[in-house]
Amino acid sequence: MTPTPTPRTTTAFFVQAGIAFAISFAGSLIGIAYLPIDPWQRGFLCMTLLFLVTSTFTLAKVVREHQEASTVRVRVDEARLEKLIAEHDPFKTVA
């Protein structure tokens, strides 16, 4: 039984997630700089905060997938070892 490898994240997706995080963080800082706020500024601050949260989830997903992709070889070796152990019968007589 061969485990299916996790698809590797592209560099473009990784860069896109990092840029989205940086832009949303800068937008939050700009919104905070304009306090005390009018209603349109409050809306701006709410939208950038929402964007910050969603892009943070995306960035975390990209980092996790990058880490998992680097450990595929280790998982394949573990699966092979588990298969050998499962097939080994110490009470089986050699013919």
Side-chain angles (χ1 to χ4, degrees):
M1 181 172 160
T2 304
T4 57
T6 306
R8 188 174 175 107
T9 311
T10 64
T11 304
F13 186 70
F14 188 84
V15 170
Q16 178 187 4
I19 290 171
F21 180 79
I23 290 172
S24 64
F25 185 71
S28 295
L29 291 178
I30 291 169
I32 293 170
Y34 282 102
L35 292 173
I37 56 178
D38 292 328
W40 72 269
Q41 290 171 323
R42 191 176 310 272
F44 173 79
L45 188 58
C46 290
M47 288 182 61
T48 53
L49 181 60
L50 177 65
F51 186 52
L52 176 65
V53 170
T54 58
S55 60
T56 301
F57 281 114
T58 303
L59 183 61
K61 177 183 180 293
V62 168
V63 170
R64 185 196 71 219
E65 288 179 357
H66 181 69
Q67 183 181 9
E68 287 177 357
S70 65
T71 62
V72 168
R73 183 182 54 82
V74 173
R75 291 191 318 216
V76 169
D77 289 342
E78 287 175 359
R80 287 180 182 157
L81 180 61
E82 287 179 15
K83 181 181 177 186
L84 286 172
I85 291 172
E87 291 174 349
H88 178 67
D89 184 4
F91 299 109
K92 183 177 179 181
T93 57
V94 179

